[in-house]
Amino acid sequence: MFRFQSLDEDCTLEEEDDGGMIEEEDEINQFNDDTFGAGAIDDDWQEEHKRLAGLQGGTGLGAGLGGGGRMGGKSDLGGAFDSSSSHLHSSVGQLPLPPSLKFSLSSSGLPPPDVEDRAGEGGLAESLARLILEADPAITGVGAAAPPPSSSGSSLSALQGLEQPMVLPQPSSIPHLNQLHQHPHHLQHQLLPGPSSGLPPGLPPSSMLSYQQQQHLLRRGTAPMAQMNSHSIWENSMGFGPVSITLGMVTHMEDSPLMSIINEVGLPTRPPQGRSDEGRDLSERVPPPRSSSPVIGSPPVRAVPIGTPPKQPMSHALNHQIHHPTAVHVRAPIQHRYPPPFPERLSPNTLLNIANSPLCRGPFPPGVGPVLSQIQRAQLLNSQMAGFPRGGPAPPLLPGGGSGRFFGGPPPPLGHRMGPPPPHCPPNHTPPIRHNTTHLHPQHRRMLTQRMQNRGVDRGRTGGDRRSRDHYSNLMSQKEKEWVTKIQMMQLQSTDPYLDDYYYQNYYEKMEKRQERERDSSKKEHTTKLITPQVAKVEHTYRPVQFAGSLGKLTVSSVNNPRKMIDAVVTSRTDDEEKREKQVWNKRRQILYTVEKMYSLLLEVQDFEKRFVQAPEEDREALLEQHKSRTLQLCNTLREKEWDDRVSDEQCVMIMSVRKGKRLISRLLPFLPSPQAAAVVMAISRNLPALAKKDKQDQVLCWLVEPVAAVIQSLCSSALTDLLQELQGSEGQLASVLHNKFGVTLLYLILSEGERMQSSDSNCQLMDDNRWTELVFSVTRELLSVPPSSLSPPLFTPPNLLSLFSRYVDRQRLELLQDKLQITSLSR
Amino acid sequence: MNYVPGTASLIDDIDKKHLVLLRDGRTLIGYLRSIDQFANLVFHQTVERIHVGKKFGDIPRGIFIVRGENVVLLGEIDMDKPSDTVLQQVSIEEILEEQRLQQQSKQETEKVKMLALKDRGLSIPKADNLDEY
């Protein structure tokens, strides 16, 4: 694309190739649009160009001039023209004008009111034109010229112009630039401070070079420059990105706090001025702003994409114009390398190779030292002198010196109180803990504090020295770190910490309870409650943007609002055969569904106690009500549909046919009111054989033992008798009951309970009717007759069975029973 | 534990030397300069370390930006700890040569295996590690 600029060796602009120039103009347009997007240029430079061209009497100076006309972005910069115009003639012939200058000339979007003002009736335009024309061969004839000192003024602007085609100068930098422009006689009036001392005049303005390149050039003279300049300048420029470091201006600029910023941020301004005389080397160019699309035809994306770090403070001024990300600073020394033939961009490999050599030398090559500008060094010293143990270079962004800096607090959204910030720490230093009191469980916090203290003591010394030598530290500014942390914190927010972070909460509660138990109750600290931030639930539904007066809504799909890709339609199959199969499955599914619903109710009921404790006073009543209703709901599900007060057998059995259901019942029993619980147990015992059969695979009936035992113990005597009767049920039921472990255990439980009743309470009603006695008799008969093999061992044997049996059977049988069941007075 | 005590964050790892293993098997060692919420990493003065047997070689790579999803593991390198290992550092050419040989031998064994399986009428589909379609 820049072929017209990557001049052929013999191109002489004296030809004034009109046609060629005009073509190039289109190319420039195209390239411009491609790189920066159609909207990048604010002003219509074409008008300007035409006007200026008209001044020239119709000479198609084209792009160069048009751009040149626009160079003066602001009045002060335009001043450069003034100062330099006088020098133009002298310097033009001598200095190579990099072709990119032309580009920048053409593509700068800056209004040139100044130029016209100052230019004075086309005088400047003329000189500019000549400058450009003559500069062209100068480009090819690089090395011919040492830029005279007088050209410095324009060189500055030229340099600036090379930075970014579309940048406006920052307001803050203007005053300085002003100063700069006032000193045209300064050698190499460069914008940016550089670590190296001033270049000898022999070098063309190499502000665009990295300092290392400049060093290199210093050593090798200007010869390579010619090479570089003659090929497309872009070859060198694209890959390096980093802001150049200037020469010569160090003395002038270094004290300015601005310089540190500029050093960091890079010069986004491209006050494209006086098309300068000096050859400019565009070996380093900041890559185009991230928001513009390089793809032909696609519109520039204005919005800052998600995930963009916050802008550095200095670039705020630019944001309204261009979304210009800060240039990444490759501070590693880069040796000059001849660019590959393919002009447009450096391939990553080349870049890597370029960067390779310094890396081969090891992490901190001796050349690293000069990277720090004077300002940074001063800051470093300041920070070290401030008694700060780990003197890292303070973030260069802060011109006020590092000492004033302290950690920003954690991200704001939760608005919690922060502990006092530590006096001065670099971002990479583990600070004393700031207590985010609202976040962690206090116990957790205590543990953390202890841990930190231990660690801090050990690692105190070593980290400091290392970091003081690491000049690349703090590339990630404080703001950026906070921003990342903020995002992470956002992910931690929750409206219901009890739900979202259940295990964490429970763990620390248990730990506290444990500690309380261990500690003496007299010196018990008041229980610290975990206060977690309650984030208001915000409506996150997407409302499509709508423009007034337009039809329809604009839908932008994003992560939170993805585009609907597939229209899925549910079609139900109506196959008869499958229906039957399905019915079976449906039934099971229904059971499972019921179980699930009950489970969710049950979990809430179980959690009730914990929540009750945590809830503030006002909410407690509401919670209680909720609890009651839930319990009721649970009971209702167990009931039959027609009979309101009876626990449905069917339902129970159905639920219990699933393993999960059994578990559910076992957990549910303690929460049921006692008549209902009793009814459930009755149902179980009534249907025990069936249940036992179904349970063969799972063997989970035994889970029920504990809750059932609890229920049994709460039964009254008549109920107990009933239960025993149910258990015996029809003929042969008892036998099958005895077959099953749970059954045996249940039986024993009942018997033992009866015995307890009898022995403890003398006037218990158990003996009132003969039922109990009869039942026990039949049980003993069964027990004796059942072959020992089919009698399964119970989970446990209550101790008082012996006394029970001793009441009802004679000695002989008692002994038989004893042997068979292995019940002794001590068995359990 | 920098800003949010009780959580794990990479903020504290910034400007420290790290070793990262990527999903494609590469091992990079460099100074971690910057992160973002996806755990994309910016490494400075990165060195790619190739291990073959008991030898290893370092290839300086410069600046690396690693997309977060490609990281298998990341660990800080303790500069204070003495690095006495049984591993022997060799030159880049040598290690690349060794690697090539290793790949070659692996391929050959794979080929032999496939052939043997084919003779028996079996086939093992090649595992698709790349997630690319």
Side-chain angles (χ1 to χ4, degrees):
Chain A
M1 273 250 197
F2 282 109
R3 253 146 254 124
F4 78 98
Q5 289 178 349
S6 63
L7 324 179
D8 343 312
E9 304 286 323
D10 44 32
C11 164
T12 45
L13 271 182
E14 273 98 357
E15 296 171 5
E16 275 203 332
D17 189 5
D18 269 6
M21 281 300 210
I22 288 172
E23 265 177 69
E24 291 146 11
E25 179 188 339
D26 294 339
E27 279 183 82
I28 297 172
N29 278 352
Q30 187 59 39
F31 185 90
N32 208 20
D33 287 350
D34 293 346
T35 317
F36 308 112
I41 301 169
D42 291 331
D43 303 300
D44 190 2
W45 63 273
Q46 282 169 316
E47 310 313 315
E48 291 303 329
H49 153 62
K50 286 192 186 117
R51 197 167 36 75
L52 289 166
L55 285 173
Q56 264 290 306
T59 49
L61 267 190
L65 185 57
R70 322 194 34 63
M71 273 323 118
K74 305 257 167 127
S75 53
D76 46 356
L77 298 175
F81 282 118
D82 278 343
S83 46
S84 55
S85 56
S86 51
H87 310 302
L88 276 178
H89 293 272
S90 50
S91 48
V92 159
Q94 299 171 36
L95 291 174
L97 180 65
S100 54
L101 171 62
K102 275 215 226 149
F103 170 75
S104 54
L105 293 183
S106 58
S107 59
S108 91
L110 305 170
D114 337 273
V115 177
E116 288 142 293
D117 298 343
R118 319 284 178 100
E121 299 73 67
L124 178 62
E126 230 175 69
S127 48
L128 279 176
R130 214 166 304 140
L131 166 71
I132 290 155
L133 293 179
E134 291 169 14
D136 221 348
I139 299 168
T140 59
V142 160
S150 54
S151 64
S152 54
S154 46
S155 79
L156 169 57
S157 39
L159 293 169
Q160 296 166 341
L162 289 177
E163 265 293 352
Q164 265 295 341
M166 54 209 251
V167 177
L168 283 183
Q170 295 173 353
S172 51
S173 59
I174 295 306
H176 284 280
L177 297 176
N178 252 327
Q179 296 172 28
L180 299 183
H181 289 288
Q182 305 316 319
H183 307 270
H185 295 286
H186 256 269
L187 183 61
Q188 278 98 21
H189 216 191
Q190 319 274 339
L191 247 191
L192 304 171
S196 53
S197 47
L199 270 186
L203 272 184
S206 31
S207 63
M208 294 304 138
L209 293 176
S210 76
Y211 80 96
Q212 201 70 342
Q213 273 176 323
Q214 291 160 1
Q215 306 266 0
H216 184 89
L217 288 167
L218 274 168
R219 289 178 230 123
R220 292 184 40 190
T222 57
M225 288 303 293
Q227 199 79 19
M228 274 169 62
N229 284 339
S230 56
H231 296 287
S232 151
I233 304 283
W234 301 114
E235 301 162 26
N236 286 345
S237 63
M238 285 314 199
F240 293 1
V243 176
S244 58
I245 302 173
T246 65
L247 339 147
M249 271 312 293
V250 180
T251 51
H252 194 80
M253 303 295 284
E254 59 195 10
D255 298 327
S256 118
L258 180 68
M259 281 311 113
S260 62
I261 296 162
I262 292 182
N263 213 16
E264 185 66 24
V265 168
L267 237 217
T269 87
R270 228 236 295 133
Q273 288 36 330
R275 273 18 249 179
S276 95
D277 352 78
E278 305 176 11
R280 248 179 294 155
D281 182 4
L282 287 182
S283 55
E284 287 190 340
R285 273 183 41 94
V286 180
R290 182 150 135 214
S291 54
S292 5
S293 147
V295 176
I296 295 174
S298 50
V301 175
R302 284 305 188 173
V304 176
I306 301 169
T308 323
K311 299 280 191 278
Q312 320 277 6
M314 285 318 296
S315 36
H316 283 325
L318 296 178
N319 281 354
H320 66 287
Q321 297 252 349
I322 312 122
H323 294 278
H324 171 54
T326 54
V328 174
H329 300 279
V330 174
R331 298 203 192 126
I334 297 177
Q335 284 181 354
H336 163 60
R337 240 179 143 250
Y338 288 15
F342 186 67
E344 294 236 38
R345 269 153 228 255
L346 265 187
S347 66
N349 287 331
T350 13
L351 180 58
L352 290 178
N353 291 336
I354 290 171
N356 251 352
S357 33
L359 286 176
C360 288
R361 279 181 250 129
F364 293 124
V368 165
V371 174
L372 266 187
S373 78
Q374 298 278 26
I375 297 137
Q376 284 171 324
R377 246 179 253 134
Q379 284 177 341
L380 181 63
L381 284 169
N382 276 342
S383 60
Q384 282 176 341
M385 303 240 280
F388 182 62
R390 306 173 191 202
L397 263 193
L398 259 207
S403 333
R405 199 94 165 85
F406 60 93
F407 269 132
L414 309 173
H416 47 258
R417 177 174 50 86
M418 288 175 302
H424 173 37
C425 322
N428 47 11
H429 157 48
T430 34
I433 292 195
R434 276 168 304 108
H435 293 284
N436 304 326
T437 51
T438 55
H439 261 348
L440 288 186
H441 200 273
Q443 186 60 32
H444 191 183
R445 191 168 22 97
R446 265 177 252 139
M447 281 173 28
L448 272 178
T449 329
Q450 289 172 9
R451 232 184 277 157
M452 291 293 221
Q453 282 165 359
N454 296 341
R455 237 187 283 149
V457 169
D458 306 329
R459 282 213 251 126
R461 312 297 153 206
T462 51
D465 328 323
R466 223 183 306 130
R467 275 192 213 109
S468 59
R469 285 187 283 112
D470 185 1
H471 302 298
Y472 295 90
S473 60
N474 303 329
L475 273 173
M476 199 175 180
S477 72
Q478 199 58 27
K479 270 204 164 189
E480 287 168 353
K481 289 188 188 176
E482 286 172 17
W483 173 79
V484 172
T485 316
K486 180 160 69 156
I487 293 182
Q488 291 178 338
M489 294 283 280
M490 267 167 47
Q491 295 166 348
L492 289 180
Q493 288 172 11
S494 91
T495 46
D496 185 7
Y498 200 72
L499 186 71
D500 292 333
D501 212 359
Y502 176 76
Y503 296 102
Y504 174 88
Q505 309 276 357
N506 269 34
Y507 176 71
Y508 278 102
E509 274 176 32
K510 281 192 202 161
M511 196 189 319
E512 269 201 1
K513 283 190 193 146
R514 218 184 310 139
Q515 286 185 345
E516 268 181 41
R517 255 184 280 127
E518 290 165 14
R519 245 184 272 128
D520 209 7
S521 61
S522 56
K523 53 174 174 125
K524 133 184 146 162
E525 309 163 5
H526 79 101
T527 48
T528 44
K529 267 190 20 173
L530 173 59
I531 310 159
T532 46
Q534 296 292 336
V535 180
K537 259 223 166 117
V538 184
E539 266 298 308
H540 286 301
T541 56
Y542 166 74
R543 287 209 172 73
V545 176
Q546 212 165 3
F547 293 107
S550 70
L551 290 173
K553 298 180 187 167
L554 180 77
T555 311
V556 175
S557 72
S558 72
V559 161
N560 297 320
N561 174 43
R563 228 196 334 248
K564 190 176 175 191
M565 294 296 288
I566 305 174
D567 274 330
V569 178
V570 176
T571 52
S572 51
R573 295 183 295 173
T574 54
D575 206 355
D576 273 352
E577 260 185 16
E578 286 189 33
K579 262 193 185 167
R580 263 173 265 130
E581 247 182 55
K582 266 196 175 182
Q583 271 171 6
V584 175
W585 268 108
N586 278 348
K587 189 117 198 269
R588 192 178 165 81
R589 261 194 229 156
Q590 205 162 11
I591 299 174
L592 288 170
Y593 184 66
T594 320
V595 169
E596 287 301 329
K597 276 209 296 192
M598 287 183 72
Y599 247 114
S600 45
L601 289 172
L602 176 65
L603 285 174
E604 297 207 12
V605 168
Q606 279 190 321
D607 275 350
F608 164 74
E609 190 194 314
K610 289 195 191 135
R611 284 161 146 222
F612 197 75
V613 169
Q614 286 209 346
E617 281 301 322
E618 319 84 59
D619 293 350
R620 284 193 179 178
E621 278 196 37
L623 261 178
L624 206 55
E625 280 306 309
Q626 216 185 31
H627 175 67
K628 285 195 190 137
S629 69
R630 294 259 162 73
T631 331
L632 205 59
Q633 268 179 300
L634 272 174
C635 306
N636 287 342
T637 41
L638 283 175
R639 288 190 183 136
E640 259 180 333
K641 289 185 196 138
E642 299 98 41
W643 295 39
D644 276 10
D645 44 350
R646 243 188 57 161
V647 169
S648 153
D649 246 23
E650 269 180 47
Q651 193 80 334
C652 276
V653 173
M654 211 172 62
I655 292 172
M656 301 258 299
S657 59
V658 188
R659 179 179 353 134
K660 201 162 184 186
K662 289 182 201 124
R663 194 84 171 94
L664 171 71
I665 296 283
S666 73
R667 278 173 84 163
L668 177 60
L669 269 178
F671 290 98
L672 286 176
S674 48
Q676 287 214 311
V680 171
V681 175
M682 295 271 199
I684 294 173
S685 47
R686 214 174 301 141
N687 305 82
L688 196 55
L691 289 174
K693 204 163 42 150
K694 285 201 178 146
D695 193 45
K696 269 214 172 86
Q697 250 191 352
D698 295 329
Q699 295 294 328
V700 293
L701 266 180
C702 299
W703 280 342
L704 288 164
V705 167
E706 264 196 43
V708 167
V711 174
I712 287 178
Q713 272 159 14
S714 63
L715 285 179
C716 65
S717 56
S718 55
L720 196 63
T721 325
D722 289 334
L723 190 57
L724 190 52
Q725 192 158 24
E726 299 282 0
L727 197 59
Q728 294 204 311
S730 49
E731 270 298 320
Q733 180 162 335
L734 199 54
S736 53
V737 164
L738 291 174
H739 222 80
N740 178 267
K741 191 177 213 165
F742 175 69
V744 174
T745 321
L746 185 60
L747 180 65
Y748 285 5
L749 281 171
I750 299 173
L751 292 175
S752 136
E753 178 63 20
E755 173 60 23
R756 195 191 59 78
M757 266 195 217
Q758 246 183 327
S759 53
S760 59
D761 190 6
S762 52
N763 59 345
C764 88
Q765 297 151 338
L766 206 56
M767 309 306 284
D768 278 356
D769 55 7
N770 278 337
R771 279 199 308 155
W772 177 256
T773 328
E774 280 177 21
L775 286 168
V776 178
F777 273 145
S778 61
V779 165
T780 48
R781 240 178 291 129
E782 192 64 39
L783 281 171
L784 284 169
S785 56
V786 140
S789 53
S790 66
L791 185 67
S792 68
L795 276 172
F796 60 86
T797 317
N800 49 3
L801 280 183
L802 194 59
S803 47
L804 173 83
F805 289 130
S806 58
R807 279 184 219 263
Y808 296 100
V809 288
D810 54 10
R811 183 159 267 303
Q812 192 189 17
R813 293 223 183 92
L814 188 62
E815 284 178 9
L816 278 171
L817 269 175
Q818 239 182 323
D819 290 332
K820 200 168 203 184
L821 305 176
Q822 292 167 1
I823 43 172
T824 59
S825 47
L826 304 165
S827 70
R828 177 82 187 128
Chain B
M1 304 296 165
N2 203 340
Y3 290 76
V4 192
T7 64
S9 166
L10 285 174
I11 299 266
D12 301 315
D13 284 7
I14 284 194
D15 292 333
K16 296 185 185 149
K17 197 165 189 188
H18 280 74
L19 182 146
V20 62
L21 177 67
L22 304 180
R23 267 166 54 177
D24 62 359
R26 274 188 278 187
T27 312
L28 301 178
I29 296 174
Y31 289 88
L32 181 64
R33 292 299 178 196
S34 185
I35 59 162
D36 71 351
Q37 70 269 33
F38 307 112
N40 294 333
L41 314 167
V42 175
F43 280 99
H44 183 218
Q45 290 162 359
T46 321
V47 147
E48 179 181 337
R49 186 162 286 186
I50 301 180
H51 288 268
V52 178
K54 284 250 159 75
K55 305 188 189 158
F56 74 91
D58 283 348
I59 304 176
R61 291 289 192 191
I63 299 179
F64 248 83
I65 297 180
V66 180
R67 189 179 164 99
E69 64 172 345
N70 293 307
V71 171
V72 171
L73 52 85
L74 167 75
E76 185 186 336
I77 292 181
D78 191 346
M79 303 296 284
D80 301 328
K81 233 177 172 180
S83 58
D84 45 358
T85 60
V86 296
L87 302 175
Q88 169 206 6
Q89 178 158 22
V90 298
S91 70
I92 297 177
E93 293 81 18
E94 199 180 325
I95 198 70
L96 286 173
E97 178 63 24
E98 293 270 346
Q99 196 184 38
R100 192 184 62 81
L101 291 173
Q102 191 193 46
Q103 298 283 49
Q104 214 174 21
S105 64
K106 212 193 284 188
Q107 275 177 358
E108 277 163 21
T109 52
E110 187 69 27
K111 234 191 274 186
V112 168
K113 194 169 84 169
M114 292 305 261
L115 206 60
L117 285 173
K118 204 165 82 161
D119 287 342
R120 287 158 181 75
L122 305 164
S123 78
I124 297 179
K126 192 159 166 230
D128 182 15
N129 292 327
L130 284 183
D131 304 337
E132 285 167 4
Y133 293 95

